[in-house]
Amino acid sequence: MKISERSRVDPFIVMDVMERARAAEAAGRSVIHMEVGQPGTPAPAAARTALAAAMEAGPLGYTVALGLPELRARIARLYAEWYGIDLDPARVVVTSGSSAGFLLAFTALFDAGDKVGLGLPGYPSYRQILRALSLEAVGIETAPENRFQPVAGDLPEDLAGLIVASPANPTGTMLDRGAMAALIDACAAQGTRFVSDEIYHGIDYGTRAVSALEVSDDVYVINSFSKFFSMTGWRIGWMVVPPDHVRAIERLAQNLFICAPHASQIAALHAMDAEEELAANLSVYARNRKLMLDGLPRAGFDRIAPPDGAFYVYADVGDLTDDSLRFASEILDKAGVAVTPGLDFDPNRGGRTLRFSYARATADIEEGLVRLREFMAAR
């Protein structure tokens, strides 16, 4: 049978690296995981306890498509706690991870053939989801002097939409309020719809991330419980949309997903009150970040983007290679450290970059840095 042209998306390279690392471990090798952006901690204890009680109390079935009302209300309260925003819970949509949020947002906002801008380097699945929806991803090459973030003056005039991430993957850089407002204003002036990926909010170091909702209500915001709340495998996230878009999103969600997993919604509700445990997780990331900023240059990776948030370091390795895929494979084979080639994030310039994740336990980060230093010394 013939498959569609739109299904011919590129692989998510980090997942391929993850599989190679798994195979190496299955063969008895020790591997330090710096490839995948996945916390090494479980979902908060309160979330796991609440779900266990709910499972004993009765069956977990479908919820309404927009999500449990109490969870939507609690998410709205988070915006008051974090940003001082009075958010109507009716604008909150619970999704099956941020990935479902992107599918819903792109389907609701754009028609086949529309052009959607995104910064490069950037999260690779944006491009592939857009392609699978018969949309055209328009890469906007960003510069170090702009913290690897798009700027208003670089936006093409024919964009139907723009997606930004702050903190960003793979760089960890953030937009301040002025930069965020400039992008939103530029988009509004030319009729470009604005989508803000805020999945790494809560994971920042010294300066709080700015939500697009602090600037405008005429935006889409997508977030997730995967990163800050340490719930990657639970596949639970949310989006905030303008009031007049809620029904369109609801209709799509009903048909595409029915609802987000009931069990994950219960866990997410209680995860949001685990402040002490979440703060402890953040302190681990902060410690790991410090180790990376000190240890990577010692190993020879000294040209790095300033990681304001998230848990990544993006390194320019152009002085070492122009084939990051092969270089990452060499590091895994010889050092036992899994890292992600920059080709995942920037098809044109990514052959000269690597992404290092420091989301795992501190002991793993320390050991990984030792291995990288020894590998580079012997190379």
Side-chain angles (χ1 to χ4, degrees), residues 20 88 95 153 200 226 265 271 329 352 359 370 377:
R20 283 200 63 215
D88 182 356
T95 62
Y200 293 101
S226 288
Q265 292 190 59
S329 180
R352 301 167 62 87
V370 169

Side-chain angles (χ1 to χ4, degrees), residues 293-302 373:
L293 291 178
D294 178 65
L296 285 175
R298 289 176 184 269
F301 305 102
D302 55 1
R373 190 162 57 247

Side-chain angles (χ1 to χ4, degrees), residues 93-115:
V93 181
V94 180
T95 62
S96 297
S98 63
S99 298
F102 296 132
L103 284 168
L104 291 168
F106 297 162
T107 305
L109 291 173
F110 311 123
D111 289 308
D114 279 351
K115 296 180 179 180

Side-chain angles (χ1 to χ4, degrees), residues 249-271:
I249 292 292
E250 182 178 28
R251 292 194 303 264
L252 287 167
Q254 288 169 341
N255 287 284
L256 292 177
F257 303 104
I258 300 181
C259 65
H262 191 170
S264 297
Q265 292 190 59
I266 292 171
L269 174 62
H270 294 275

Side-chain angles (χ1 to χ4, degrees), residues 33-288:
H33 292 274
M34 290 185 174
E35 82 280 29
V36 67
Q38 175 165 267
T41 49
R48 305 193 310 269
T49 300
L51 177 56
M55 291 172 66
E56 292 299 321
L60 300 178
Y62 296 138
T63 72
V64 294
L66 294 176
L68 293 172
E70 56 268 39
L71 177 56
R72 297 169 69 201
R74 182 63 186 89
I75 291 170
R77 182 154 61 90
L78 183 75
Y79 282 84
E81 296 168 352
W82 282 11
Y83 314 105
I85 294 173
D86 182 14
L87 179 65
D88 182 356
R91 295 176 57 194
V92 176
V93 181
V94 180
T95 62
S96 297
S98 63
S99 298
F102 296 132
L103 284 168
L104 291 168
F106 297 162
T107 305
L109 291 173
F110 311 123
D111 289 308
D114 279 351
K115 296 180 179 180
V116 181
L118 46 91
L120 297 176
Y123 180 55
S125 292
Y126 300 149
R127 305 193 310 272
Q128 312 311 333
I129 294 171
L130 290 167
R131 178 176 175 82
L133 294 176
S134 298
L135 301 167
E136 182 180 345
V138 178
I140 302 169
E141 288 197 352
T142 63
E145 56 267 28
N146 297 321
R147 308 183 72 76
F148 293 102
Q149 292 281 358
V151 295
D154 292 341
L155 300 184
E157 295 182 357
D158 59 347
L159 293 182
L162 175 71
I163 181 166
V164 301
S166 174
N169 176 10
T171 61
T173 64
M174 297 196 306
L175 293 163
D176 62 24
R177 187 185 179 100
M180 177 75 79
L183 282 171
I184 292 174
D185 290 347
C187 286
Q190 61 187 45
T192 299
R193 283 139 280 183
F194 190 88
V195 180
S196 181
D197 177 358
E198 302 182 0
I199 189 173
Y200 293 101
H201 277 222
I203 306 176
D204 47 54
Y205 311 98
T207 301
R208 176 183 66 76
V210 175
S211 173
L213 292 170
E214 296 179 72
V215 177
S216 172
D217 282 327
D218 197 28
V219 297
Y220 272 45
V221 165
I222 295 174
N223 209 319
S224 172
F225 289 90
S226 288
K227 309 301 183 178
F228 178 72
F229 295 98
S230 197
M231 295 177 65
T232 52
W234 297 75
R235 309 315 302 137
I236 184 75
W238 76 87
M239 58 197 301
V240 181
V241 303
D244 58 338
H245 286 226
V246 173
R247 181 55 178 161
I249 292 292
E250 182 178 28
R251 292 194 303 264
L252 287 167
Q254 288 169 341
N255 287 284
L256 292 177
F257 303 104
I258 300 181
C259 65
H262 191 170
S264 297
Q265 292 190 59
I266 292 171
L269 174 62
H270 294 275
M272 302 186 81
D273 293 324
E275 291 93 348
E276 186 174 338
E277 190 172 345
L278 296 169
N281 291 347
L282 183 58
S283 69
V284 171
Y285 303 145
R287 170 63 176 159
N288 292 352

